[in-house]
């Protein structure tokens, strides 16, 4: 497969008379964009905002992030989800870099929703504090799930996915500033010099734990709770085959933006033919029952061994129950002779003294930590809040709480907040963005 991604670098975003991109400036007609969003009659309230790095703006509850993209050949951006079910990973794609579409709830949040600060101390905790963002703040008529801890957020998330493609239409017929090419030959017909290098697979474990449909990560529009581990071409991941689910404590989430830009995949691509022979992606899942976890680990190990992998990189979305999937997969790979490196966060408690993963094994001796989800963070009040900050202060919101006998409420009367790292939207950045390091004392 050969995928060409033509990049357009967004330096500024403004509202104006027409949707356009020129000399680094993206112009959006706000009313036309809102009219497009309101075509879904589930959307009851909607507004658009522009937020930029350094602005003292806080957003909560944040539900999804998407990079604006479009296909010049008119295929849908997310095949099988929004658009015809066709092969992803081939052809040409236009992408708007340094920006994202963020989806923020007007009122209600659950533990899959989070916080983004565009300025101050909180800016560093998520990638999206560094981007120019078009922010959709909306509410829906999905009253049945407003007070639920878990929300499908289907109307809101779908609105964001559609809006990202709608906005990128302005670069559909333009010439990119530069082009990234992603191409991998057939696994068994590669140059002999490449085949001499250590062969490596990337194992992804997206969140797929809920048996009720509508919450899990989608692949080609299909709920991944239904699948067993399978081999995917890395280009499929970069090209919209996966859409983020709504289920997962939010710092651990992989947004759709993370799939579209997955740094781990790009890093393996960069070393292909130099230091490694990159075989591809084993797309696994996360399960609840023990036999389901063991079955998935068997599939992953068999696939890796059959492909001739010498090494594997395993990345986990989430923590807690999914740690059993992560460790089980890691051990199964080591047992068939595939040297493995893991990437995950930890849940070591607010004092950092608890066991980092729910289950451990001595064979898991090479793990990259992306931080402690329970670490306490205090942030001052911001000039502007988009959404509803009170959502952070409801019990059931990841990392936030209504009241604590020692710490008080997460949302203080002056607008400052105290919470766990758990509340930072996609803050652990396990897909490869994480700037965090461990310290020994």
């Amino acid at each position: 497969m050969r995928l060409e991604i033509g990049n357009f670098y967004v330096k500024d975003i403004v509202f104006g008379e027409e949707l356009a991109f020129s000399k680094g400036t993206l112009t959006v007609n706000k009313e036309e964009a809102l009219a497009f969003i309101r075509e879904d009659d589930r959307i009851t309230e909607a507004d658009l905002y522009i937020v930029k790095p350094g602005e003292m703006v806080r957003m909560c509850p944040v539900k999804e992030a998407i990079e604006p993209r479009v296909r010049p050949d008119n295929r849908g951006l997310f095949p099988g989800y929004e658009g015809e079910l066709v092969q992803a990973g081939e052809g040409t794609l236009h992408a708007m870099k340094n920006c994202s579409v963020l989806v923020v709830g007007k009122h209600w949040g659950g533990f899959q929703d989070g916080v983004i600060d565009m300025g101050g101390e909180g800016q560093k905790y998520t990638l999206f504090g560094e981007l120019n963002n078009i922010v959709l703040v909306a509410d829906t008529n999905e009253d049945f799930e407003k007070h639920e801890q878990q929300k499908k957020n289907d109307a809101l998330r779908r609105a964001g996915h559609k809006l990202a493609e709608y906005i990128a239409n302005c670069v559909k017929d333009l010439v990119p500033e530069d082009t990234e090419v992603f191409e991998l030959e057939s696994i068994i017909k590669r140059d002999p010099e490449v085949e001499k290098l250590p062969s490596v697979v990337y194992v992804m474990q997206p969140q797929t734990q809920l048996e009720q449909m509508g919450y899990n990560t989608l692949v080609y529009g299909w709920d991944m709770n239904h699948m067993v581990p399978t081999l995917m071409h890395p280009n499929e991941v970069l090209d919209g085959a996966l859409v983020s689910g709504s289920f997962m404590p939010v710092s651990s989430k992989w947004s759709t933006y993370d799939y579209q830009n997955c740094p781990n995949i790009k890093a393996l691509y960069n070393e292909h033919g130099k230091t490694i022979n990159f075989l591809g992606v084993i797309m696994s899942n996360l399960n609840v029952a023990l036999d389901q976890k063991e079955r998935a680990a068997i599939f992953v190990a068999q696939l890796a061994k059959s492909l001739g992998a010498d090494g594997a990189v395993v990345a986990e979305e989430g923590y807690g129950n999914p740690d059993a999937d992560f460790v089980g997969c890691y051990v199964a790979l080591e047992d068939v002779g595939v040297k493995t490196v893991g990437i995950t966060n930890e849940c070591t408690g607010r004092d950092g003294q608890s066991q980092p993963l729910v289950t451990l094994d001595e064979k898991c001796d090479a793990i990259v930590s992306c931080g402690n989800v329970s670490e306490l963070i205090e942030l001052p009040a911001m000039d502007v809040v988009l959404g509803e900050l009170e959502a952070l202060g409801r019990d059931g919101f990841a990392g936030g709480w209504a009241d604590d006998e020692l710490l008080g409420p997460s949302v203080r009367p002056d607008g400052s907040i105290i919470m766990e790292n758990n509340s930072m939207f996609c803050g652990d950045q396990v897909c490869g963005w994480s700037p965090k390091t461990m310290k020994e004392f």
Side-chain angles (χ1 to χ4, degrees):
M1 284 188 182
R2 179 184 173 91
L3 175 66
E4 296 185 6
I5 302 181
N7 295 321
F8 300 80
Y9 294 90
V10 177
K11 299 175 183 176
D12 195 13
I13 307 175
V14 297
F15 289 127
E17 294 185 0
E18 63 179 11
L19 178 64
F21 181 76
S22 178
K23 298 180 181 179
T25 297
L26 168 62
T27 302
V28 178
N29 183 308
K30 182 176 180 178
E31 292 310 314
E32 288 182 1
L34 285 171
F36 173 76
I37 291 164
R38 291 179 181 129
E39 289 177 4
D40 186 338
D41 58 13
R42 294 176 298 172
I43 302 292
T44 57
E45 298 179 65
D47 207 348
L48 284 179
Y49 300 86
I50 296 167
V51 296
K52 304 170 186 178
E55 294 181 344
M56 301 304 283
V57 176
R58 174 168 292 149
M59 292 169 277
C60 174
V62 185
K63 298 175 180 292
E64 172 67 301
I66 314 100
E67 183 172 78
R69 293 179 168 191
V70 67
R71 301 181 193 277
D73 64 3
N74 294 318
R75 288 181 297 149
L77 186 57
F78 301 107
Y81 171 72
E82 289 293 339
E84 183 183 355
L85 178 55
V86 296
Q87 177 75 61
E90 293 185 299
T92 301
L93 185 68
H94 285 180
M96 306 191 77
K97 313 305 290 187
N98 301 332
C99 73
S100 78
V101 170
L102 297 178
V103 182
V104 178
K106 178 74 173 177
H107 300 295
W108 306 99
F111 80 78
Q112 67 280 316
D113 305 325
V115 177
I116 295 174
D117 277 5
M118 295 302 299
E121 172 69 13
Q123 182 187 14
K124 69 183 182 183
Y125 285 99
T126 80
L127 170 72
F128 302 99
E130 303 170 9
L131 302 180
N132 296 301
N133 297 301
I134 303 151
V135 184
L136 170 63
V137 181
D139 197 12
T140 77
N141 64 4
E142 297 168 302
D143 293 333
F144 69 95
E145 65 178 14
K146 282 184 176 178
H147 296 280
E148 296 296 323
Q149 186 182 41
Q150 273 301 331
K151 298 172 176 59
K152 294 181 180 180
N153 287 325
D154 183 70
L156 292 175
R157 290 164 55 244
R158 226 170 254 271
H161 299 136
K162 291 179 179 178
L163 180 61
E165 185 172 14
Y166 170 89
I167 288 170
N169 269 291
C170 66
V171 299
K172 182 177 179 180
D173 299 319
L174 302 183
V175 178
E177 297 174 51
D178 62 46
T179 300
E180 297 175 277
V181 177
F182 300 95
E183 185 173 16
L184 279 184
E185 315 88 337
S186 172
I187 290 173
I188 62 170
K189 296 179 180 179
R190 294 183 176 173
D191 187 287
E193 293 303 309
V194 174
E195 292 188 348
K196 289 179 183 178
L197 298 170
S199 296
V200 177
V201 292
Y202 180 44
V203 182
M204 300 184 74
Q205 295 181 308
Q207 184 52 244
T208 54
Q209 286 184 291
L210 292 192
E211 295 181 353
Q212 184 180 348
M213 299 300 94
Y215 297 95
N216 298 312
T217 301
L218 302 178
V219 57
Y220 287 107
W222 194 45
D223 194 301
M224 289 182 63
N225 179 266
H226 290 320
M227 68 176 280
V228 294
T230 189
L231 179 68
M232 291 186 70
H233 197 288
N235 289 8
E236 294 178 278
V237 181
L238 298 176
D239 190 28
L242 274 77
V243 171
S244 173
S246 70
F247 173 65
M248 177 40 54
V250 71
S251 72
S252 307
K253 278 177 69 74
W254 295 345
S255 68
T256 298
Y257 186 102
D258 290 311
Y259 289 123
Q260 292 173 304
N261 292 280
C262 184
N264 290 335
I265 288 179
K266 291 186 176 182
L268 291 165
Y269 247 123
N270 189 55
E271 292 303 310
H272 177 65
K274 301 174 185 176
T275 61
I276 64 169
N277 177 16
F278 182 25
L279 299 177
V281 176
I282 297 177
M283 189 60 65
S284 187
N285 51 13
L286 298 171
N287 302 282
V288 177
L290 183 59
D291 65 322
Q292 295 170 352
K293 297 175 186 292
E294 292 172 342
R295 187 177 298 112
I298 288 171
F299 268 99
V300 169
Q302 179 272 127
L303 279 167
K305 189 67 174 179
S306 297
L307 291 169
D310 301 302
V313 178
V314 180
E316 171 195 12
E317 181 184 12
Y319 67 94
N321 187 290
D323 292 344
D325 302 76
F326 174 70
V327 170
C329 180
Y330 195 127
V331 170
L333 286 164
E334 288 281 341
D335 284 344
V336 296
V338 179
K339 294 297 182 183
T340 302
V341 172
I343 308 175
T344 184
N345 54 20
E346 305 175 57
C347 184
T348 58
R350 293 177 183 174
D351 60 2
Q353 300 297 309
S354 299
Q355 180 171 301
L357 303 177
V358 166
T359 181
L360 294 170
D361 191 285
E362 61 184 11
K363 293 175 183 175
C364 301
D365 57 1
I367 293 179
V368 178
S369 172
C370 296
N372 174 20
V373 301
S374 301
E375 182 179 354
L376 280 176
I377 298 172
E378 293 190 63
L379 298 173
M382 301 291 272
D383 296 340
V384 175
V385 174
L386 298 182
E388 184 182 62
L389 190 56
E390 287 74 13
L392 174 64
R394 295 191 184 106
D395 291 329
F397 195 97
W401 54 84
D403 199 10
D404 181 277
E405 61 181 12
L406 297 178
L407 300 172
S410 276
V411 180
R412 294 162 172 159
D414 65 356
S416 64
I417 58 178
I418 181 170
M419 61 189 187
E420 295 179 350
N421 173 70
N422 233 333
S423 290
M424 303 308 303
F425 180 76
C426 299
D428 298 328
Q429 305 176 62
V430 175
C431 275
W433 308 102
S434 182
K436 299 174 183 176
T437 57
M438 292 182 65
K439 293 182 179 180
E440 292 189 13
F441 295 92

